[in-house]
Amino acid sequence: MRKANLEAVDLKHLRRETSILQNLCHPNIIKLYEVHENDYEIHFVMELVSDGLDLFDRICERGQYSERDAAYVIGQIVRGVEYLHSHGTQLLPSQEMAQQHNTTNTTQHNNTTQQHNTIHTHTLIILLNEGIVHRDLKPENLLTERHGVDDIIKLCDFGFAKKWDYSNLLTACGSPGYVGM
């Protein structure tokens, strides 16, 4: 890809996309192996998806999916999305969790307000989710690869993807034809 054809904001988004993809390794997500960049171009070494049809084209080619086949495809999509959403998740032991999440509670006792610190040590672990949100799932961003009678689904096109942070996910994005109202 020639850098001269890219605006600065596009180059920034491309770098974000590649930084996300390089850290992912799941059978239902396209693999980015390497990125080579010089002053003029960026080259990507990616997993080869031999058939390379997107799910939209595969549906058109097949005409229909049986309930079993549709469930198999959806299951792969869900496993890929589950991996994305859990990517970066940490498990904290209860002791560390208690120190990081020490809370102050207010209780009412005989018309007197008292504050006391409550540490929830009965919790064994807590999940701190720092996952990835794709933000543009649609049939055209799902590659299919034939393996016998079953298709392997690969999530691709992470151009809108971001690491989970509620404050930076307020922007409307995606493909208008697939956005719910």
PDB file of all heavy atoms in Angstrom, residues 65-90:
ATOM      1  N   TYR A  65     -28.772 -21.859   3.456  1.00  0.00           N
ATOM      2  CA  TYR A  65     -28.058 -22.609   4.490  1.00  0.00           C
ATOM      3  C   TYR A  65     -29.090 -23.404   5.277  1.00  0.00           C
ATOM      4  O   TYR A  65     -30.160 -22.878   5.610  1.00  0.00           O
ATOM      5  CB  TYR A  65     -27.332 -21.658   5.458  1.00  0.00           C
ATOM      6  CG  TYR A  65     -25.946 -21.258   5.004  1.00  0.00           C
ATOM      7  CD1 TYR A  65     -25.764 -20.337   3.992  1.00  0.00           C
ATOM      8  CD2 TYR A  65     -24.820 -21.793   5.612  1.00  0.00           C
ATOM      9  CE1 TYR A  65     -24.505 -19.956   3.575  1.00  0.00           C
ATOM     10  CE2 TYR A  65     -23.548 -21.415   5.215  1.00  0.00           C
ATOM     11  CZ  TYR A  65     -23.397 -20.502   4.199  1.00  0.00           C
ATOM     12  OH  TYR A  65     -22.141 -20.129   3.800  1.00  0.00           O
ATOM     13  N   SER A  66     -28.765 -24.644   5.570  1.00  0.00           N
ATOM     14  CA  SER A  66     -29.639 -25.415   6.462  1.00  0.00           C
ATOM     15  C   SER A  66     -29.516 -24.819   7.861  1.00  0.00           C
ATOM     16  O   SER A  66     -28.585 -24.050   8.148  1.00  0.00           O
ATOM     17  CB  SER A  66     -29.211 -26.886   6.480  1.00  0.00           C
ATOM     18  OG  SER A  66     -27.951 -27.007   7.119  1.00  0.00           O
ATOM     19  N   GLU A  67     -30.417 -25.163   8.731  1.00  0.00           N
ATOM     20  CA  GLU A  67     -30.351 -24.661  10.098  1.00  0.00           C
ATOM     21  C   GLU A  67     -29.046 -25.096  10.762  1.00  0.00           C
ATOM     22  O   GLU A  67     -28.399 -24.330  11.463  1.00  0.00           O
ATOM     23  CB  GLU A  67     -31.551 -25.171  10.901  1.00  0.00           C
ATOM     24  CG  GLU A  67     -31.613 -24.596  12.303  1.00  0.00           C
ATOM     25  CD  GLU A  67     -32.864 -25.011  13.055  1.00  0.00           C
ATOM     26  OE1 GLU A  67     -33.848 -25.435  12.432  1.00  0.00           O
ATOM     27  OE2 GLU A  67     -32.826 -24.905  14.296  1.00  0.00           O
ATOM     28  N   ARG A  68     -28.622 -26.328  10.501  1.00  0.00           N
ATOM     29  CA  ARG A  68     -27.369 -26.845  11.061  1.00  0.00           C
ATOM     30  C   ARG A  68     -26.179 -26.044  10.561  1.00  0.00           C
ATOM     31  O   ARG A  68     -25.312 -25.649  11.332  1.00  0.00           O
ATOM     32  CB  ARG A  68     -27.199 -28.324  10.698  1.00  0.00           C
ATOM     33  CG  ARG A  68     -25.902 -28.939  11.216  1.00  0.00           C
ATOM     34  CD  ARG A  68     -25.370 -29.998  10.202  1.00  0.00           C
ATOM     35  NE  ARG A  68     -23.993 -30.311  10.404  1.00  0.00           N
ATOM     36  CZ  ARG A  68     -22.964 -29.652   9.866  1.00  0.00           C
ATOM     37  NH1 ARG A  68     -23.146 -28.601   9.136  1.00  0.00           N
ATOM     38  NH2 ARG A  68     -21.726 -30.030  10.061  1.00  0.00           N
ATOM     39  N   ASP A  69     -26.129 -25.782   9.250  1.00  0.00           N
ATOM     40  CA  ASP A  69     -25.013 -25.031   8.679  1.00  0.00           C
ATOM     41  C   ASP A  69     -24.997 -23.584   9.176  1.00  0.00           C
ATOM     42  O   ASP A  69     -23.938 -23.033   9.475  1.00  0.00           O
ATOM     43  CB  ASP A  69     -25.071 -25.039   7.148  1.00  0.00           C
ATOM     44  CG  ASP A  69     -24.789 -26.420   6.564  1.00  0.00           C
ATOM     45  OD1 ASP A  69     -24.261 -27.287   7.292  1.00  0.00           O
ATOM     46  OD2 ASP A  69     -25.110 -26.625   5.375  1.00  0.00           O
ATOM     47  N   ALA A  70     -26.168 -22.970   9.273  1.00  0.00           N
ATOM     48  CA  ALA A  70     -26.261 -21.593   9.774  1.00  0.00           C
ATOM     49  C   ALA A  70     -25.797 -21.531  11.229  1.00  0.00           C
ATOM     50  O   ALA A  70     -25.066 -20.611  11.620  1.00  0.00           O
ATOM     51  CB  ALA A  70     -27.685 -21.068   9.642  1.00  0.00           C
ATOM     52  N   ALA A  71     -26.191 -22.515  12.027  1.00  0.00           N
ATOM     53  CA  ALA A  71     -25.768 -22.553  13.434  1.00  0.00           C
ATOM     54  C   ALA A  71     -24.257 -22.715  13.538  1.00  0.00           C
ATOM     55  O   ALA A  71     -23.609 -22.099  14.397  1.00  0.00           O
ATOM     56  CB  ALA A  71     -26.478 -23.693  14.166  1.00  0.00           C
ATOM     57  N   TYR A  72     -23.685 -23.525  12.648  1.00  0.00           N
ATOM     58  CA  TYR A  72     -22.229 -23.733  12.638  1.00  0.00           C
ATOM     59  C   TYR A  72     -21.499 -22.420  12.306  1.00  0.00           C
ATOM     60  O   TYR A  72     -20.520 -22.059  12.955  1.00  0.00           O
ATOM     61  CB  TYR A  72     -21.882 -24.831  11.621  1.00  0.00           C
ATOM     62  CG  TYR A  72     -20.418 -25.164  11.570  1.00  0.00           C
ATOM     63  CD1 TYR A  72     -19.808 -25.853  12.615  1.00  0.00           C
ATOM     64  CD2 TYR A  72     -19.649 -24.785  10.478  1.00  0.00           C
ATOM     65  CE1 TYR A  72     -18.451 -26.166  12.569  1.00  0.00           C
ATOM     66  CE2 TYR A  72     -18.295 -25.088  10.427  1.00  0.00           C
ATOM     67  CZ  TYR A  72     -17.702 -25.775  11.472  1.00  0.00           C
ATOM     68  OH  TYR A  72     -16.360 -26.069  11.431  1.00  0.00           O
ATOM     69  N   VAL A  73     -21.997 -21.675  11.324  1.00  0.00           N
ATOM     70  CA  VAL A  73     -21.400 -20.388  10.937  1.00  0.00           C
ATOM     71  C   VAL A  73     -21.531 -19.375  12.083  1.00  0.00           C
ATOM     72  O   VAL A  73     -20.557 -18.724  12.463  1.00  0.00           O
ATOM     73  CB  VAL A  73     -22.050 -19.845   9.640  1.00  0.00           C
ATOM     74  CG1 VAL A  73     -21.677 -18.398   9.392  1.00  0.00           C
ATOM     75  CG2 VAL A  73     -21.640 -20.710   8.450  1.00  0.00           C
ATOM     76  N   ILE A  74     -22.729 -19.245  12.630  1.00  0.00           N
ATOM     77  CA  ILE A  74     -22.963 -18.295  13.718  1.00  0.00           C
ATOM     78  C   ILE A  74     -22.099 -18.649  14.926  1.00  0.00           C
ATOM     79  O   ILE A  74     -21.548 -17.762  15.588  1.00  0.00           O
ATOM     80  CB  ILE A  74     -24.462 -18.238  14.104  1.00  0.00           C
ATOM     81  CG1 ILE A  74     -25.279 -17.661  12.952  1.00  0.00           C
ATOM     82  CG2 ILE A  74     -24.677 -17.440  15.383  1.00  0.00           C
ATOM     83  CD1 ILE A  74     -24.918 -16.235  12.568  1.00  0.00           C
ATOM     84  N   GLY A  75     -21.951 -19.928  15.217  1.00  0.00           N
ATOM     85  CA  GLY A  75     -21.105 -20.358  16.336  1.00  0.00           C
ATOM     86  C   GLY A  75     -19.669 -19.886  16.176  1.00  0.00           C
ATOM     87  O   GLY A  75     -19.030 -19.437  17.136  1.00  0.00           O
ATOM     88  N   GLN A  76     -19.145 -19.952  14.958  1.00  0.00           N
ATOM     89  CA  GLN A  76     -17.780 -19.490  14.705  1.00  0.00           C
ATOM     90  C   GLN A  76     -17.659 -17.973  14.875  1.00  0.00           C
ATOM     91  O   GLN A  76     -16.673 -17.472  15.425  1.00  0.00           O
ATOM     92  CB  GLN A  76     -17.335 -19.878  13.291  1.00  0.00           C
ATOM     93  CG  GLN A  76     -17.167 -21.361  13.104  1.00  0.00           C
ATOM     94  CD  GLN A  76     -16.728 -21.657  11.701  1.00  0.00           C
ATOM     95  OE1 GLN A  76     -15.569 -21.479  11.367  1.00  0.00           O
ATOM     96  NE2 GLN A  76     -17.672 -22.081  10.870  1.00  0.00           N
ATOM     97  N   ILE A  77     -18.666 -17.260  14.400  1.00  0.00           N
ATOM     98  CA  ILE A  77     -18.668 -15.799  14.553  1.00  0.00           C
ATOM     99  C   ILE A  77     -18.683 -15.436  16.039  1.00  0.00           C
ATOM    100  O   ILE A  77     -17.900 -14.599  16.498  1.00  0.00           O
ATOM    101  CB  ILE A  77     -19.862 -15.165  13.813  1.00  0.00           C
ATOM    102  CG1 ILE A  77     -19.741 -15.404  12.302  1.00  0.00           C
ATOM    103  CG2 ILE A  77     -19.962 -13.671  14.125  1.00  0.00           C
ATOM    104  CD1 ILE A  77     -21.005 -15.103  11.515  1.00  0.00           C
ATOM    105  N   VAL A  78     -19.541 -16.097  16.791  1.00  0.00           N
ATOM    106  CA  VAL A  78     -19.651 -15.826  18.228  1.00  0.00           C
ATOM    107  C   VAL A  78     -18.336 -16.147  18.945  1.00  0.00           C
ATOM    108  O   VAL A  78     -17.885 -15.375  19.798  1.00  0.00           O
ATOM    109  CB  VAL A  78     -20.836 -16.608  18.845  1.00  0.00           C
ATOM    110  CG1 VAL A  78     -20.800 -16.581  20.366  1.00  0.00           C
ATOM    111  CG2 VAL A  78     -22.143 -16.057  18.322  1.00  0.00           C
ATOM    112  N   ARG A  79     -17.697 -17.257  18.585  1.00  0.00           N
ATOM    113  CA  ARG A  79     -16.410 -17.594  19.221  1.00  0.00           C
ATOM    114  C   ARG A  79     -15.343 -16.549  18.899  1.00  0.00           C
ATOM    115  O   ARG A  79     -14.548 -16.173  19.765  1.00  0.00           O
ATOM    116  CB  ARG A  79     -15.959 -18.994  18.812  1.00  0.00           C
ATOM    117  CG  ARG A  79     -16.736 -20.089  19.545  1.00  0.00           C
ATOM    118  CD  ARG A  79     -16.169 -21.472  19.298  1.00  0.00           C
ATOM    119  NE  ARG A  79     -16.297 -21.921  17.920  1.00  0.00           N
ATOM    120  CZ  ARG A  79     -17.413 -22.426  17.389  1.00  0.00           C
ATOM    121  NH1 ARG A  79     -18.501 -22.535  18.127  1.00  0.00           N
ATOM    122  NH2 ARG A  79     -17.444 -22.828  16.136  1.00  0.00           N
ATOM    123  N   GLY A  80     -15.316 -16.056  17.664  1.00  0.00           N
ATOM    124  CA  GLY A  80     -14.369 -15.005  17.304  1.00  0.00           C
ATOM    125  C   GLY A  80     -14.627 -13.715  18.064  1.00  0.00           C
ATOM    126  O   GLY A  80     -13.707 -13.084  18.591  1.00  0.00           O
ATOM    127  N   VAL A  81     -15.895 -13.324  18.146  1.00  0.00           N
ATOM    128  CA  VAL A  81     -16.263 -12.094  18.875  1.00  0.00           C
ATOM    129  C   VAL A  81     -15.994 -12.262  20.363  1.00  0.00           C
ATOM    130  O   VAL A  81     -15.483 -11.338  21.018  1.00  0.00           O
ATOM    131  CB  VAL A  81     -17.744 -11.727  18.607  1.00  0.00           C
ATOM    132  CG1 VAL A  81     -18.214 -10.619  19.534  1.00  0.00           C
ATOM    133  CG2 VAL A  81     -17.923 -11.319  17.147  1.00  0.00           C
ATOM    134  N   GLU A  82     -16.296 -13.435  20.904  1.00  0.00           N
ATOM    135  CA  GLU A  82     -16.018 -13.688  22.322  1.00  0.00           C
ATOM    136  C   GLU A  82     -14.524 -13.535  22.608  1.00  0.00           C
ATOM    137  O   GLU A  82     -14.129 -12.937  23.608  1.00  0.00           O
ATOM    138  CB  GLU A  82     -16.493 -15.089  22.703  1.00  0.00           C
ATOM    139  CG  GLU A  82     -16.196 -15.464  24.139  1.00  0.00           C
ATOM    140  CD  GLU A  82     -16.601 -16.885  24.448  1.00  0.00           C
ATOM    141  OE1 GLU A  82     -16.331 -17.788  23.629  1.00  0.00           O
ATOM    142  OE2 GLU A  82     -17.187 -17.096  25.517  1.00  0.00           O
ATOM    143  N   TYR A  83     -13.690 -14.049  21.723  1.00  0.00           N
ATOM    144  CA  TYR A  83     -12.241 -13.908  21.881  1.00  0.00           C
ATOM    145  C   TYR A  83     -11.840 -12.435  21.859  1.00  0.00           C
ATOM    146  O   TYR A  83     -11.066 -11.972  22.693  1.00  0.00           O
ATOM    147  CB  TYR A  83     -11.508 -14.677  20.776  1.00  0.00           C
ATOM    148  CG  TYR A  83     -10.021 -14.436  20.771  1.00  0.00           C
ATOM    149  CD1 TYR A  83      -9.191 -15.114  21.660  1.00  0.00           C
ATOM    150  CD2 TYR A  83      -9.453 -13.515  19.898  1.00  0.00           C
ATOM    151  CE1 TYR A  83      -7.821 -14.889  21.662  1.00  0.00           C
ATOM    152  CE2 TYR A  83      -8.094 -13.287  19.892  1.00  0.00           C
ATOM    153  CZ  TYR A  83      -7.276 -13.971  20.779  1.00  0.00           C
ATOM    154  OH  TYR A  83      -5.923 -13.737  20.781  1.00  0.00           O
ATOM    155  N   LEU A  84     -12.381 -11.678  20.907  1.00  0.00           N
ATOM    156  CA  LEU A  84     -12.077 -10.245  20.837  1.00  0.00           C
ATOM    157  C   LEU A  84     -12.457  -9.534  22.124  1.00  0.00           C
ATOM    158  O   LEU A  84     -11.678  -8.763  22.678  1.00  0.00           O
ATOM    159  CB  LEU A  84     -12.831  -9.584  19.686  1.00  0.00           C
ATOM    160  CG  LEU A  84     -12.367  -9.841  18.278  1.00  0.00           C
ATOM    161  CD1 LEU A  84     -13.313  -9.170  17.293  1.00  0.00           C
ATOM    162  CD2 LEU A  84     -10.952  -9.351  18.080  1.00  0.00           C
ATOM    163  N   HIS A  85     -13.681  -9.788  22.582  1.00  0.00           N
ATOM    164  CA  HIS A  85     -14.178  -9.089  23.760  1.00  0.00           C
ATOM    165  C   HIS A  85     -13.407  -9.464  25.022  1.00  0.00           C
ATOM    166  O   HIS A  85     -13.308  -8.660  25.946  1.00  0.00           O
ATOM    167  CB  HIS A  85     -15.662  -9.359  23.959  1.00  0.00           C
ATOM    168  CG  HIS A  85     -16.510  -8.694  22.926  1.00  0.00           C
ATOM    169  ND1 HIS A  85     -17.890  -8.747  22.965  1.00  0.00           N
ATOM    170  CD2 HIS A  85     -16.201  -7.955  21.819  1.00  0.00           C
ATOM    171  CE1 HIS A  85     -18.378  -8.074  21.931  1.00  0.00           C
ATOM    172  NE2 HIS A  85     -17.364  -7.595  21.220  1.00  0.00           N
ATOM    173  N   SER A  86     -12.854 -10.674  25.064  1.00  0.00           N
ATOM    174  CA  SER A  86     -12.113 -11.099  26.250  1.00  0.00           C
ATOM    175  C   SER A  86     -10.612 -10.871  26.108  1.00  0.00           C
ATOM    176  O   SER A  86      -9.872 -11.085  27.061  1.00  0.00           O
ATOM    177  CB  SER A  86     -12.391 -12.568  26.551  1.00  0.00           C
ATOM    178  OG  SER A  86     -11.882 -13.380  25.511  1.00  0.00           O
ATOM    179  N   HIS A  87     -10.153 -10.428  24.945  1.00  0.00           N
ATOM    180  CA  HIS A  87      -8.716 -10.224  24.725  1.00  0.00           C
ATOM    181  C   HIS A  87      -8.200  -9.131  25.661  1.00  0.00           C
ATOM    182  O   HIS A  87      -8.698  -8.022  25.680  1.00  0.00           O
ATOM    183  CB  HIS A  87      -8.435  -9.831  23.278  1.00  0.00           C
ATOM    184  CG  HIS A  87      -6.980  -9.806  22.944  1.00  0.00           C
ATOM    185  ND1 HIS A  87      -6.256 -10.946  22.770  1.00  0.00           N
ATOM    186  CD2 HIS A  87      -6.115  -8.784  22.816  1.00  0.00           C
ATOM    187  CE1 HIS A  87      -5.005 -10.627  22.507  1.00  0.00           C
ATOM    188  NE2 HIS A  87      -4.894  -9.321  22.541  1.00  0.00           N
ATOM    189  N   GLY A  88      -7.188  -9.469  26.460  1.00  0.00           N
ATOM    190  CA  GLY A  88      -6.634  -8.504  27.405  1.00  0.00           C
ATOM    191  C   GLY A  88      -7.265  -8.594  28.776  1.00  0.00           C
ATOM    192  O   GLY A  88      -6.891  -7.871  29.682  1.00  0.00           O
ATOM    193  N   THR A  89      -8.217  -9.512  28.953  1.00  0.00           N
ATOM    194  CA  THR A  89      -8.866  -9.651  30.246  1.00  0.00           C
ATOM    195  C   THR A  89      -7.867 -10.199  31.263  1.00  0.00           C
ATOM    196  O   THR A  89      -7.078 -11.073  30.958  1.00  0.00           O
ATOM    197  CB  THR A  89     -10.077 -10.598  30.133  1.00  0.00           C
ATOM    198  OG1 THR A  89     -11.000 -10.008  29.239  1.00  0.00           O
ATOM    199  CG2 THR A  89     -10.741 -10.832  31.466  1.00  0.00           C
ATOM    200  N   GLN A  90      -7.914  -9.651  32.452  1.00  0.00           N
ATOM    201  CA  GLN A  90      -7.021 -10.084  33.520  1.00  0.00           C
ATOM    202  C   GLN A  90      -7.844 -10.677  34.660  1.00  0.00           C
ATOM    203  O   GLN A  90      -8.944 -10.232  34.930  1.00  0.00           O
ATOM    204  CB  GLN A  90      -6.256  -8.897  34.102  1.00  0.00           C
ATOM    205  CG  GLN A  90      -5.515  -8.069  33.108  1.00  0.00           C
ATOM    206  CD  GLN A  90      -4.955  -6.852  33.803  1.00  0.00           C
ATOM    207  OE1 GLN A  90      -4.292  -6.958  34.821  1.00  0.00           O
ATOM    208  NE2 GLN A  90      -5.232  -5.685  33.255  1.00  0.00           N
TER     209      GLN A  90
END
